[in-house]
């Protein structure tokens, strides 16, 4: 089956530093990847939609300068949290849609990255 | 607008009990419907899906039927196990200038031995 990986699985950083999270589709090509944020015991909040080779589309209320998204290839998207602060601590989850079966609308989710900002 | 409403949790059951988690939706257009499961500390896994009315999605003993007339997609399992303890998310996808997944709030299930 389709597999999406994320790296790192968890990260602890100091306030003011930047953190990059990678999302990879391991056995399929993904023209579209999604980045979500999940607070404890809550649902997923879509942050942005990332399309290969073009700028990401951010949801309302998400700061594009703070959450930089790059989708440089059909198998890799990155989310960089710039100048991280404790309120950015969260569980970040990416998902990818298979380019070939895009019409089926099935998304494959990564295992998530837990970010803790001290 | 598009939205998904799930029954509030947590749901606590004994092993081998029957499970129902209700899910209803509102959507402009014809959505595809999904159930995802999230085990502690992990990302989401697709559990089952249905893409048209009266379709039944099933996997690992779980099943849900796409009911257009009642706009529902209730998740059921005849006999739960302790290993089914997780958070279950109902979701839909519609094409609103791009295919976005809209999630319900999630329902936490605890199964006691």
């Amino acid at each position: 089956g389709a597999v999406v990986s994320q790296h790192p699985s968890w990260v602890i950083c100091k306030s003011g530093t930047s953190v990059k999270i990678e999302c990879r589709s391991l056995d399929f090509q993904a023209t579209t990847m999604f980045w979500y944020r999940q607070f404890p015991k809550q649902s997923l909040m879509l942050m942005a939609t990332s399309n290969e080779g073009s700028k990401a589309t951010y949801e309302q209320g998400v700061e594009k300068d703070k959450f930089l998204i790059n989708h440089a290839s059909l198998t890799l998207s990155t989310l960089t949290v710039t100048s991280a602060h404790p309120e950015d601590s969260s569980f970040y989850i990416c998902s990818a849609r298979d380019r070939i079966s895009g019409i089926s609308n099935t998304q494959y989710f990564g295992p998530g990255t837990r970010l803790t900002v001290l | 607008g598009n939205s998904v409403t799930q029954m509030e949790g947590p749901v606590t059951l004994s092993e081998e009990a029957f499970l129902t988690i209700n899910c209803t939706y509102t959507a402009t257009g014809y959505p595809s419907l999904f159930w995802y499961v999230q085990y502690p500390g992990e990302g989401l896994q697709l559990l089952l899906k249905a893409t048209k009315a009266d379709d039944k999605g099933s996997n690992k003993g779980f099943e849900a039927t796409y009911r257009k007339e009642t706009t529902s997609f209730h998740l059921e399992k005849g006999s739960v196990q302790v290993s089914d303890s997780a958070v279950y998310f109902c979701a839909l996808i519609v094409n609103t200038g791009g295919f976005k997944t809209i999630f319900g709030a999630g329902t936490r299930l605890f199964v006691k031995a």
Side-chain angles (χ1 to χ4, degrees):
Chain A
V3 177
V4 175
S5 70
Q6 280 185 241
H7 178 79
S9 55
W10 59 270
V11 56
I12 301 173
C13 69
K14 292 182 178 180
S15 185
T17 60
S18 294
V19 175
K20 179 185 283 188
I21 302 170
E22 293 186 347
C23 176
R24 293 182 185 273
S25 56
L26 297 186
D27 49 3
F28 67 99
Q29 293 182 326
T31 50
T32 304
M33 289 184 170
F34 304 87
W35 286 97
Y36 295 85
R37 184 173 179 176
Q38 185 181 31
F39 292 101
K41 299 184 179 180
Q42 294 188 29
S43 190
L44 280 71
M45 181 192 79
L46 179 64
M47 299 174 65
T49 302
S50 167
N51 293 298
E52 186 263 340
S54 64
K55 291 183 179 181
T57 302
Y58 290 81
E59 295 300 302
Q60 193 172 10
V62 178
E63 299 176 59
K64 60 181 66 177
D65 293 332
K66 179 161 189 65
F67 298 100
L68 301 179
I69 291 172
N70 184 281
H71 192 160
S73 76
L74 285 172
T75 59
L76 173 65
S77 177
T78 59
L79 167 67
T80 301
V81 183
T82 61
S83 186
H85 291 283
E87 58 266 29
D88 298 325
S89 298
S90 192
F91 196 50
Y92 292 87
I93 301 175
C94 75
S95 72
R97 181 178 296 135
D98 188 326
R99 178 174 70 96
I100 294 176
S101 62
I103 300 300
S104 75
N105 298 329
T106 298
Q107 288 180 252
Y108 301 97
F109 285 81
T113 297
R114 183 161 302 284
L115 169 63
T116 301
V117 184
L118 303 176
Chain B
N2 303 304
S3 66
V4 176
T5 302
Q6 287 181 240
M7 63 187 289
E8 284 191 30
V11 173
T12 302
L13 296 173
S14 297
E15 211 166 19
E16 299 184 2
F18 184 87
L19 168 71
T20 300
I21 300 179
N22 290 336
C23 171
T24 57
Y25 67 90
T26 58
T28 52
Y30 208 145
S32 295
L33 303 175
F34 303 80
W35 276 101
Y36 288 90
V37 58
Q38 184 178 33
Y39 298 101
E42 299 183 13
L44 272 66
Q45 299 176 27
L46 176 64
L47 183 59
L48 53 85
K49 68 177 183 180
T51 57
K52 62 182 188 294
D54 299 325
D55 265 4
K56 178 185 284 188
S58 61
N59 185 25
K60 300 180 181 179
F62 291 90
E63 57 182 37
T65 301
Y66 190 145
R67 299 289 188 199
K68 192 168 185 286
E69 64 276 14
T70 55
T71 61
S72 65
F73 193 54
H74 305 322
L75 182 68
E76 297 181 336
K77 186 174 185 182
S79 176
V80 293
Q81 305 300 313
V82 173
S83 57
D84 293 327
S85 298
V87 181
Y88 292 83
F89 291 94
C90 185
L92 66 82
I93 290 183
V94 287
N95 186 0
T96 54
F99 292 94
K100 292 183 181 180
T101 302
I102 297 170
F103 289 91
T107 302
R108 186 172 295 274
L109 170 67
F110 292 106
V111 181
K112 303 179 298 183

